[in-house]
Amino acid sequence: MDRRELAEFLRTRRERITPADVGLPAGQRRRTPGLRREEVAQLAYISTEYYTRLEQARGPRPSREVLAQLARALRLSDAERDHLHHLAGTPQGPPPGPSREVRQSIVDLLHRLPQAAAFVLSATYEVIAWNDLAAALMEDFSALSRRDRNVVRRAFLQPPGGGRRLYSVSGADEFARTAAQHLRAAAARYPDDPELTALIAELVDGSQEFARLWAAHEIAPQATLCKTFDHPLVGPVTVNCDVLDITDRDQRVVIYTAVPGSPSEEALRLLSVIGTQRMDVAR
């Protein structure tokens, strides 16, 4: 562990970030360029004393978890993240399981698409980031547990609270076949991930359809590029479906857009106003 180089690297990364970059007020009488030490500590969920010791080259070797939190708080690039781990004497090595950490640039992209419903899927089909229109079209993901945000569970098992299978979208059976194939590939990439192993076992035990698809070793068909949601408030919403691969994180960005000038575009605009509020509940 190179304490002096690590301290200098942390300081320079901290000083390049403004409070506005991370949603903090600038305040008055700010003498330090960039963030204060206590602000970095707050963003990284560690104590100010511990972070200060790291910047003063007198701290203990940080764990991989602390390094990951610091990398996220300081908005490090992938190359900078690797460098941080090497300075700390803790090379990252192969990931034990699928990444659930979404790059900030991807999160920003989702929110810059106000007329598109967009979300990010992990390698295990967990929804790990989304924009407001995706929540309005599909479900308020922020109100769900991690387990219930998994769309494969939504496809093969009883949805939580008796909800709609895959949000009443067309092509659900085709999605199910594709998901089974993708999960088999993910299981080969992450053989030691207990969550993925448990998910597959749960699906095999709870769904005859998944068990049949899992045993068939079937090659996934070409994904449908047009889907229709039967939304309970605005009715049918037909959207084009585009999927962008984030290869370094083993994640996918799913983007739903409607044809300009179509009734479905009007429906999405209405959903952007309605949001996730329940119109069928008395207030």
Side-chain angles (χ1 to χ4, degrees), residues 28-67:
Q28 298 179 352
R29 306 169 73 177
R30 180 177 289 269
R31 300 174 181 175
T32 303
L35 298 179
R36 298 186 177 105
R37 286 173 176 170
E38 58 266 28
E39 291 169 335
V40 174
Q42 177 185 357
L43 291 169
Y45 302 104
I46 59 178
S47 71
T48 300
E49 179 185 0
Y50 178 48
Y51 179 76
T52 299
R53 291 175 65 192
L54 289 176
E55 271 206 18
Q56 292 175 344
R58 57 187 184 89
R61 185 195 303 273
S63 67
R64 282 189 171 90
E65 180 180 4
V66 168
L67 292 173

Side-chain angles (χ1 to χ4, degrees), residues 134-145:
L137 177 64
M138 300 167 69
E139 188 162 19
D140 183 4
F141 298 110
S142 66
L144 301 177
S145 65

